[in-house]
Amino acid sequence: MDLLTVNQDKCLRCGICVECCPSCILSMGENGPECNFDRGCMSCGQCVAICPVGALDNKYTPLEKQRPVTMPVLDSATAYEFLRMRRSVRNFKPQPPTDEEITRLLDIARYAPTAGNSQGMYYIVIRDAEKIKAIADAVADWMEAEVEAGTENKRYFMTVLRAYRERGQDIIARHAPCLIFSLARRLNITGVSNAEQSWAYAELFAPTIGLGTTIAGFIQSCGIAGYQPLLDLIEIPPKHKVVGTLMVGYPKYKYQRMPERQHLKVEFR
Ligand SMILES: Cc1cc2nc3c(=O)[nH]c(=O)nc-3n(C[C@H](O)[C@H](O)[C@H](O)COP(=O)(O)O)c2cc1C
């Protein structure tokens, strides 16, 4: 089967698919859109998704698997409130979320943008409290090594270590009942950016299914740095690397107010 199939009866030759192809590999021929370089297709599905009459099919992103858009879902005022209401949740009930809840959270994260439509995020979910404690300890060990090496994070890590080691405050894993590690193939140079995008989706969706989340920055930095004791604890599969970490659980408290942010700084030129 060719990459593209055009329904000649439906195609309007409007050229919208050609304009919207992110790889610029389509052109308009006499019989509708043609692909000039099949291997350049990133399987994003844009050409099929944008066609106003459903005339185009792409073997990588079949028309029959594309759900019609049902807009408008949110008006801008509701969307604005919804986006502003998201909070980093750092106080959790001890019970971890279920497989089903975590699957729902990660399922929507698949729809976040990825560079070149690379997708391919792979998740490891840890809900064993002892293992999470061991992970936080390993991260503290890594921070100590960073402090000794005099890296640029030295002063910040010293503050974290004082809280964690001397005052016994779990500033690293926040006693989260669940940690999710996102992994990418080792050669994927945009893995960390992809993970950040996917966390944004997960974090916004979480409260709609009764969950709270916070990005576990210290743990993910340690993972991204490739600290072997941490990678051993999470039993990372071969040819993969850590690109992100998220804490997840049922929120212990409910936020009542929305904090203000710094002023918007923008220049129009
Ligand atoms: C890259 C990144 C790393 C973060 N790491 C941590 C972390 O390790 N621990 C933590 O409690 N919060 C962490 N956060 C959450 C921020 O502290 C939080 O987003 C910020 O204080 C604003 O609060 P809000 O998310 O409730 O709006 C992180 C956020 C980002 C974007």
Side-chain angles (χ1 to χ4, degrees), residues 86-90 171-172 174 196 214-220 247 259 261:
R86 182 210 52 79
R87 286 276 71 75
S88 291
V89 172
R90 302 180 180 83
I171 194 168
I172 295 174
R174 307 273 179 188
E196 284 165 354
T214 285
I215 294 175
F218 301 125
I219 304 175
Q220 77 176 20
M247 312 177 208
R261 290 288 206 227

